[in-house]
Amino acid sequence: MTDPFLIAAILALLAATGLLVRWFVATASLRRDAREEYAGRLIDRAHTIEGVDEAGFVRIYVDGYAPRWTVYAAIALIAAILITAPAVMGLLGFWNWITGFVSASDVFAPGYYPWMFYMFFGLVGAWALCGFVAARFHHQRAPEGFNAALMRARGEPLDQVEIRRTRPKWARRASIIADGAPKNEGQ
């Protein structure tokens, strides 16, 4: 068991399994928190959940706060494992075709530095493509934020509601006054 690809595949599978377990644990914890939040809102802020049943609230809460990145990272790792063998075969086939086409010297034979460079960056590129596709799906399939989804579930028109964004932590202490000079508010 000294094959580096096998060792890397086993480690990637273990990491993917850990990420999926983290997602399941976090989702279960979020469901429990959502039920507690719903019960608390029924007591002191019932107007914030008008027309939303507990199951709907739990779904909105979990969709808004679940760590979706863990699922997509696990998918990217598994895809990288699955694409490695076809990528190696494709890269080798292309290398043999291109070196035969241009009648390359023995310096370009497999095992020498140009071939190693080509194979290294070819495999890294194939794995990066898996990460790119997973990240693209992660951002394309992003759910609506919790507050906006809750407003939509209550039937409020979102076009008329302005959801304030909090200022980033790095910008909280500094503000710009009329003449453009920074003013430190924290002191």
Side-chain angles (χ1 to χ4, degrees):
M1 188 165 140
T2 59
D3 183 20
F5 286 117
L6 181 61
I7 294 169
I10 290 170
L11 291 175
L13 281 175
L14 288 173
T17 303
L19 288 167
L20 291 175
V21 166
R22 184 203 185 290
W23 180 81
F24 279 115
V25 169
T27 303
S29 175
L30 282 170
R31 288 184 199 286
R32 186 183 64 247
D33 292 346
R35 285 190 287 277
E36 291 173 5
E37 176 75 17
Y38 187 80
R41 285 181 182 235
L42 279 175
I43 294 169
D44 61 354
R45 296 176 289 175
H47 67 280
T48 62
I49 54 173
E50 289 177 10
V52 180
D53 61 341
E54 184 177 10
F57 183 83
V58 169
R59 182 185 49 78
I60 291 168
Y61 191 89
V62 171
D63 285 349
Y65 295 117
R68 297 175 325 105
W69 67 270
T70 58
V71 175
Y72 289 98
I75 290 170
L77 285 171
I78 292 168
I81 292 168
L82 295 176
I83 203 170
T84 298
V88 167
M89 294 303 141
L91 289 168
L92 284 173
F94 183 72
W95 183 262
N96 290 334
W97 176 77
I98 198 73
T99 55
F101 182 73
V102 297
S103 300
S105 69
D106 290 340
V107 174
F108 294 97
Y112 288 100
Y113 285 122
W115 178 82
M116 285 187 242
F117 182 84
Y118 165 78
M119 289 300 290
F120 174 79
F121 284 106
L123 278 176
V124 169
W127 297 332
L129 181 65
C130 294
F132 168 77
V133 170
R136 185 76 180 142
F137 280 128
H138 176 263
H139 290 291
Q140 280 181 342
R141 299 174 48 89
E144 195 171 33
F146 171 70
N147 291 326
L150 186 59
M151 284 187 241
R152 187 179 307 283
R154 286 192 312 244
E156 295 180 22
L158 284 181
D159 296 337
Q160 300 169 359
V161 177
E162 179 181 330
I163 299 175
R164 287 185 37 125
R165 288 185 46 196
T166 57
R167 290 185 68 184
K169 289 182 181 178
W170 59 266
R172 290 187 188 202
R173 287 183 271 160
S175 68
I176 305 298
I177 55 175
D179 64 348
K183 173 183 152 187
N184 193 348
E185 294 176 352
Q187 294 179 5

